[in-house]
Amino acid sequence: MGVTQQQVQDALAKVATPRGVALTNAGVLSPISASDGKVFFSINVEASEARAWESVRAAAEAAVRAIPGVEVAMVALTAERKAGSAAPPPQHRHAQGVQNVASHRPPGGASPMAKQAEIPGVAAIIAVASGKGGVGKSTTALNLALGLRDLGLRVGLLDADIYGPSVPRLTGLREKPQLSDDRKMIPLQRFGLSIMSIGFLVEEETAMIWRGPMVMSAVTQMLRDVVWGKLDVLVVDMPPGTGDAQLTLAQTVPLKGAIIISTPQDLSLIDARRGLAMFRKVNVPVLGIIENMSYFQCPHCGTKSDIFGHGGARHEAERLGVPFLGEIPLHISIRTTSDAGTPVVESEPSGPHAAIYRAIAAKVRDQLQGAIAAA
Ligand code: ADP
């Protein structure tokens, strides 16, 4: 039997708060989402009180998790700055990044639970995901974004890989985003893409220790409190894996579809299958699987060797009934261009690798045609 809102309310009524009243009477709770054993809500307090409420958040999460039948419980602590209080000057954002990104929420800002509300001006948001790290997800996400750009689309890239944001390295971008007059972040521009990454705001190690709700708050804010402008496609580089944080993101971000990156190795394919199951669970269509590091291409003679038993992802895609989008070779120039901050589609636009990414981009674009045309 599913968990009811009443059961959640009853559990929360036993959680004490610094205001001396039960959590349910403190006037700080967002609407509670409880379905299929998954419970999400947020506790909204003033920024100045946030520290004192962290233990309440933890207690609330534990209380909900203890209800029989609850599989996932996520409670976000969101802290509002009082209207009229000073905004941090842009040059200080870096030092205050954790506070601003993870917990500050401007009045009227969308709650992390405001599932599926569209982003005005953005026609289609797609996720690039992988069942595990190190399979080339971020490299593929960026080159795919550039391939979509080459097709004449307006494209953004959101690096939501909070556990290891690599877009600053892949693009060479190091600046901090400026704030607009209405205190939204202005994405950085590079290669004709609008780009936002948690790595622009906090040190990598800081993001690594964030827990689920903070990750969610941060990504929601990077999605909604950023001046994306008019985009045909926003590519979201997801955190690797298929845990609770990824599942919640897949559910929270209004995705038109997801792309799974896999290497040919068996283990990676098993992980890819989990990724597929995750998106299906939250009703996000899987646009297809890309096999990365599919075969080894010798940089000297161009000879191809199937050192990993190439083709596994294609078979897997066929078996699972999802499109197979293409194969990207393991090639030194894909790595060196990425590491130099000049991705291969940008730096070698007439080379064979750019052509592969563009062909994949065309397949993705065709699947999004409806959404792009409607916008
Ligand atoms: P992930 O996002 O899955 O952790 P990255 O995109 O950061 O993976 O890639 C991991 C490493 O593999 C990087 O050094 C990257 O340059 C390299 N890489 C990714 N794809 C390829 C490829 N097709 N050929 C060669 N190197 C690649």
Side-chain angles (χ1 to χ4, degrees):
M1 205 188 79
V3 181
T4 63
Q5 294 222 352
Q6 192 55 50
Q7 283 175 290
V8 177
Q9 292 277 359
D10 291 347
L12 297 179
K14 297 186 187 119
V15 175
T17 68
R19 295 184 188 172
V21 294
L23 183 53
T24 38
N25 293 329
V28 295
L29 290 178
S30 74
I32 292 166
S33 151
S35 67
D36 293 329
K38 299 182 186 62
V39 180
F40 307 117
F41 59 93
S42 61
I43 299 172
N44 310 296
V45 297
E46 294 270 337
S48 58
E49 298 174 288
R51 193 176 291 266
W53 281 75
E54 173 51 29
S55 59
V56 179
R57 189 204 66 75
E61 211 171 61
V64 173
R65 208 164 271 154
I67 303 171
V70 169
E71 286 166 26
V72 177
M74 275 206 182
V75 183
L77 180 62
T78 64
E80 289 194 2
R81 210 170 292 266
K82 263 206 183 99
S85 68
Q91 65 269 30
H92 290 155
R93 279 199 77 92
H94 191 57
Q96 300 192 6
V98 178
Q99 170 70 14
N100 287 330
V101 174
S103 56
H104 166 62
R105 185 158 298 285
S111 114
M113 313 320 144
K115 183 192 161 201
Q116 311 295 19
E118 303 279 332
I119 310 297
V122 180
I125 305 180
I126 58 170
V128 175
S130 63
K132 65 170 189 177
V135 301
K137 172 182 54 59
S138 300
T139 304
T140 310
L142 175 56
N143 281 300
L144 173 67
L146 292 167
L148 290 164
R149 172 206 67 178
D150 287 350
L151 299 173
L153 301 177
R154 292 164 298 186
V155 184
L157 178 67
L158 169 57
D159 176 10
D161 186 349
I162 230 116
Y163 303 115
S166 46
V167 164
R169 172 174 51 85
L170 296 176
T171 57
L173 285 170
R174 294 280 181 271
E175 304 97 276
K176 308 283 164 283
Q178 298 291 306
L179 294 182
S180 66
D181 289 344
D182 57 353
R183 299 187 54 225
K184 290 190 163 199
M185 285 179 278
I186 301 170
L188 300 182
Q189 298 293 319
R190 181 72 122 216
F191 314 131
L193 306 176
S194 297
I195 304 179
M196 190 63 211
S197 168
I198 196 75
F200 298 153
L201 303 167
V202 296
E203 301 299 342
E204 211 168 295
E205 308 77 62
T206 310
M208 301 268 288
I209 57 167
W210 288 0
R211 285 153 311 150
M214 290 176 94
V215 170
M216 221 167 64
S217 299
V219 173
T220 306
Q221 215 159 352
M222 284 200 299
L223 193 67
R224 300 189 183 276
D225 295 345
V226 166
V227 193
W228 288 110
K230 283 218 174 312
L231 294 179
D232 295 307
V233 184
L234 177 60
V235 177
V236 180
D237 181 5
M238 295 276 287
T242 48
D244 280 355
Q246 288 82 351
L247 181 72
T248 310
L249 276 185
Q251 208 166 24
T252 310
V253 178
L255 294 170
K256 286 280 185 290
I259 295 167
I260 309 228
I261 314 296
S262 178
T263 61
Q265 287 102 317
D266 240 353
L267 190 65
S268 177
L269 285 173
I270 291 167
D271 290 321
R273 247 169 272 159
R274 286 203 192 106
L276 202 75
M278 175 177 87
F279 286 110
R280 287 195 164 150
K281 201 165 173 181
V282 295
N283 294 323
V284 171
V286 174
L287 304 176
I289 297 180
I290 297 174
E291 187 169 88
N292 189 37
M293 310 189 193
S294 181
Y295 50 90
F296 174 71
Q297 198 171 14
C298 173
H300 307 295
C301 62
T303 309
K304 294 180 176 181
S305 341
D306 295 342
I307 50 178
F308 301 124
H310 139 244
R314 181 190 289 276
H315 291 138
E316 198 56 30
E318 277 165 13
R319 203 175 69 77
L320 296 166
V322 297
F324 182 68
L325 297 173
E327 296 166 351
I328 301 162
L330 175 70
H331 195 280
I332 185 85
S333 69
I334 296 181
R335 191 184 67 73
T336 49
T337 51
S338 283
D339 291 350
T342 51
V344 75
V345 173
E346 180 67 20
S347 55
E348 299 172 15
S350 40
H353 303 126
I356 292 173
Y357 285 112
R358 276 197 295 271
I360 293 174
K363 288 187 188 166
V364 172
R365 186 254 336 255
D366 291 349
Q367 293 195 63
L368 298 173
Q369 206 66 279
I372 294 171

